């Protein structure tokens, strides 16, 4: 294979643009922010990236499948509130609350997917409705149960220690603290990458995102695949919600609003097309890592944190342009291969 063909194949990979951006941003903060150079800073960046990256994995898969979920951010908070308030009110083991919360989140994901497929209404609108329902319920139910918009202290309820070990434990490595969410994030990314590249389900995800009518014509279970993707987002939102709950013990019912855009930005920066059918798990992970580097790098550099949102906007616009170029390269390579 010629060097030109190799370079074209390399450029056609969805994560290439994000990888180059990650290297440039990393080197930039190494230069301008001395505090960024310590191992502790790297593990803090990884932790920050994991809190977004866990849910972004599911959102990225859903976007490859051609759909959006704007309820993912508030669902993280909903997951923690359902578990904590149920167990606090009824005085039952936190494991029961966690499983009830999981069932609730999966039910919401199933309903989102079912409504999208049943009605034909764009997922943007369906999940926007779910977003408002969950946001209002989070605030209203929490205030009804506790008299405030803060969930109760559950640290004395049975199951606290064991669930904390699963979702929010950490250990020391020298002067650095490493959170278990980093390992969970890597595991979820690896699992998503394996599904997309090594399984029939992965082929279905790309097919329903790129050409759903053609996929249906050749026997791909479009409805089942898309509902499953919505439920995957809900599962990962539940997982992130459990981490937040057992990391901080109490939750503010209004939290999570706006995070849905961070998940989408991580996916788009990582090479996922808004039109579906193109992207991969590694790219989404790199996009989340860029988020972690930027959000903390600005602080380490001593700059005004308000610039972070401006940076996200610039990164999103650049990512869209790069993704379009990469898609053209990939399309032209496939066309030349067919000749």
């Amino acid at each position: 294979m010629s060097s030109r063909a190799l370079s074209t194949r390399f450029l056609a990979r969805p994560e290439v643009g994000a990888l180059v951006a990650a290297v440039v941003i990393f080197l930039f903060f190494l230069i301008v922010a001395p505090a960024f150079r310590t191992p502790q800073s790297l593990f803090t960046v990884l932790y920050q990236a994991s809190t977004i990256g866990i849910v972004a994995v599911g959102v990225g898969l859903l976007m490859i499948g051609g759909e959006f979920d704007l309820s993912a951010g508030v669902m993280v908070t909903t997951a923690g509130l359902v578990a904590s308030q149920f167990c606090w009110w009824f005085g039952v083991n936190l494991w029961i609350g966690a499983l009830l919360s999981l069932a609730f989140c999966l039910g919401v994901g199933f309903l989102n997917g079912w409504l999208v497929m049943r009605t034909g209404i764009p997922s943007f609108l369906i999940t926007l409705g779910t977003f408002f329902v969950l946001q209002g319920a989070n605030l209203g139910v929490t205030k009804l149960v506790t008299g405030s918009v803060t969930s109760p202290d559950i640290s004395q309820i049975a199951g606290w220690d064991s669930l904390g070990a699963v979702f929010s434990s950490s250990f020391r490595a020298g002067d650095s603290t490493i959170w278990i969410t980093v390992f969970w994030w890597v595991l979820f990314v690896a699992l998503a990458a394996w599904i997309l590249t090594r399984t029939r389900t992965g082929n279905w995800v790309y097919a329903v995102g790129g050409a759903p009518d053609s996929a249906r014509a050749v026997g791909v279970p479009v409805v089942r695949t898309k509902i499953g993707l919505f439920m995957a987002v809900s599962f990962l939102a539940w997982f992130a919600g459990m981490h937040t709950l057992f990391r901080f013990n109490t939750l503010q019912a209004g939290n999570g609003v706006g995070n849905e855009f961070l998940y989408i930005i991580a996916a788009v920066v990582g090479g996922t097309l808004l039109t579906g059918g193109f992207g991969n798990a590694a790219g989404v992970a790199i996009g989340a890592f860029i988020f972690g580097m930027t959000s903390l790098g600005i602080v380490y550099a001593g700059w005004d944190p308000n610039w972070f949102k401006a940076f996200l906007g610039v990164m999103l616009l650049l990512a869209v342009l790069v993704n379009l170029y990469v898609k053209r390269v990939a399309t032209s390579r496939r066309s030349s291969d067919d000749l």
Side-chain angles (χ1 to χ4, degrees), residues 173-216:
D175 295 330
S176 304
T177 301
I178 305 176
W179 289 91
I180 196 171
T181 51
V182 174
F183 297 100
W184 282 118
W185 176 40
V186 172
L187 176 63
F188 289 136
V189 170
L191 178 61
W194 177 77
I195 290 173
L196 285 175
T197 60
R198 301 293 183 182
T199 69
R200 182 172 58 178
T201 301
N203 292 331
W204 290 349
V205 172
Y206 283 111
V208 300
D213 293 335
S214 299
R216 187 179 287 107

Side-chain angles (χ1 to χ4, degrees), residues 145-188:
V145 172
T146 68
S148 70
V149 293
T150 303
S151 66
D153 184 340
I154 59 171
S155 60
Q156 302 305 313
I157 300 178
W160 169 264
D161 292 333
S162 55
L163 280 166
V166 173
F167 293 107
S168 65
S169 59
S170 63
F171 63 92
R172 301 287 296 179
D175 295 330
S176 304
T177 301
I178 305 176
W179 289 91
I180 196 171
T181 51
V182 174
F183 297 100
W184 282 118
W185 176 40
V186 172
L187 176 63
F188 289 136

